Amino acid sequence: MSTIVNKMGRICLIFGLMILIAACNSDSSGSGDSTYSGGSRSTPSVQSVMDLEISAENNLDSVYSVDVDIDISSISTKRAFVSICNNSDAKGDLSKLDFDMCFVKGNLEQGIGEFDLRVANHNDELITIIWVMEKDREPLTYTFSHNKQKESYWLIN
């Protein structure tokens, strides 16, 4: 009895594999032996670069530059750390910022620092967070919008 069950199992396995192989070999676009019963098929239009229309205002730049000068020496000359990050999603909420993705993570010397950034255009707003290493001191935060300017200067003091 067990040999009959084994033979039937093998036959079912072989039959299943044949169906699987047949399915893999069939044309997935539906154009094999089956007929298409839908409406007319549209072919995608092909465009070249010459077909693109670009307005005169679009300079095709994908980044902008920001020169950041920080001088908080009038507030504190204690040890301070600075992070400059994208603020587009967080909107100033420090708990929503991904500090691993910040553009700048560094320190200030006597409350002073200079940073030159190249930022992708989709980062509409930047936030600078300065942690002054003093007891019970809240971080200082400053925001900046580039307003579609190719080059900007940001003074934080």
Side-chain angles (χ1 to χ4, degrees), residues 11-123:
I11 291 172
C12 288
L13 179 63
I14 291 171
F15 185 72
L17 287 173
M18 288 173 50
I19 291 173
L20 182 62
I21 290 171
C24 289
N25 286 333
S26 71
D27 185 6
S28 63
S29 67
S31 63
D33 293 331
S34 63
T35 59
Y36 178 72
S37 61
S40 65
R41 290 188 183 189
S42 64
T43 58
S45 63
V46 178
Q47 293 183 342
S48 74
V49 174
M50 300 306 290
D51 296 328
L52 296 176
E53 293 182 27
I54 300 171
S55 69
E57 295 83 35
N58 189 342
N59 60 11
L60 300 177
D61 285 333
S62 61
V63 297
Y64 63 97
S65 299
V66 181
D67 292 333
V68 182
D69 286 342
I70 301 173
D71 185 352
I72 60 163
S73 60
S74 62
I75 298 170
S76 177
T77 57
K78 299 281 186 187
R79 186 173 184 163
F81 296 97
V82 62
S83 297
I84 303 176
C85 312
N86 178 16
N87 192 37
S88 299
D89 295 331
K91 302 295 184 208
D93 185 350
L94 299 185
S95 67
K96 293 182 181 178
L97 282 175
D98 183 359
F99 285 98
D100 290 332
M101 300 301 293
C102 289
F103 305 113
V104 171
K105 292 186 279 188
N107 61 352
L108 300 178
E109 298 290 331
Q110 301 294 314
I112 298 173
E114 287 183 16
F115 307 96
D116 296 326
L117 305 176
R118 289 183 45 86
V119 183
N121 282 341
H122 67 273
N123 298 299

Side-chain angles (χ1 to χ4, degrees), residues 3-17:
T3 58
I4 294 174
V5 172
N6 284 341
K7 286 182 182 182
M8 290 299 287
R10 288 181 185 161
I11 291 172
C12 288
L13 179 63
I14 291 171
F15 185 72
L17 287 173

